Amino acid sequence: MSLPLRHRTFSWHDPAEIRARAQGKSGLEFLRAMLAGEIPPPPVAELVGVHLELVEPGRVVFVLAPAEFHLNPNSVLHGGIAALVCDTACGCAVISELPPGETCATLEI
């Protein structure tokens, strides 16, 4: 039996262009510019649908409205999606404290 197929399309900005707009900005300035819409979100945010909602020094809040494409076979939000949101918020909270020219990457949540 064939199941109906759903489709989803999305667009994203060139990550090299996003990095270029970050140059000379502190992490906090960069994230605030993204929140204001002056810098586009990274491709993964566009793919998953996570949105920046609040930026303060050491505190960053992201929002995700769960959608059908986020579900696992049990019709529950996939744990990888939850981990992505946690990883993004934690990493950006650190980035919000960094001076211009520095960045970081999370190794574990």
Side-chain angles (χ1 to χ4, degrees), residues 80-98:
I81 299 297
L84 179 140
V85 175
C86 289
D87 177 69
T88 301
C90 290
C92 286
V94 172
I95 288 169
S96 75
E97 296 281 355
L98 296 178

Side-chain angles (χ1 to χ4, degrees), residues 65-77:
E68 185 180 54
F69 61 87
H70 294 124
L71 303 180
N72 65 21
N74 298 323
S75 293
V76 177
L77 180 75

Side-chain angles (χ1 to χ4, degrees), residues 56-68:
E56 297 174 352
R59 182 170 183 241
V60 178
V61 175
F62 283 87
V63 173
L64 174 76
E68 185 180 54

Side-chain angles (χ1 to χ4, degrees), residues 4-44:
L5 184 62
R6 290 176 166 61
H7 297 274
R8 180 173 176 258
T9 54
F10 67 97
S11 301
W12 65 92
H13 293 87
D14 180 351
E17 292 291 328
I18 297 170
R19 280 192 308 276
R21 291 187 185 188
Q23 291 203 355
K25 290 180 173 49
S26 69
L28 186 61
E29 292 168 332
F30 172 70
L31 291 168
R32 284 184 171 162
M34 191 174 289
L35 179 63
E38 298 162 8
I39 295 176
V44 68

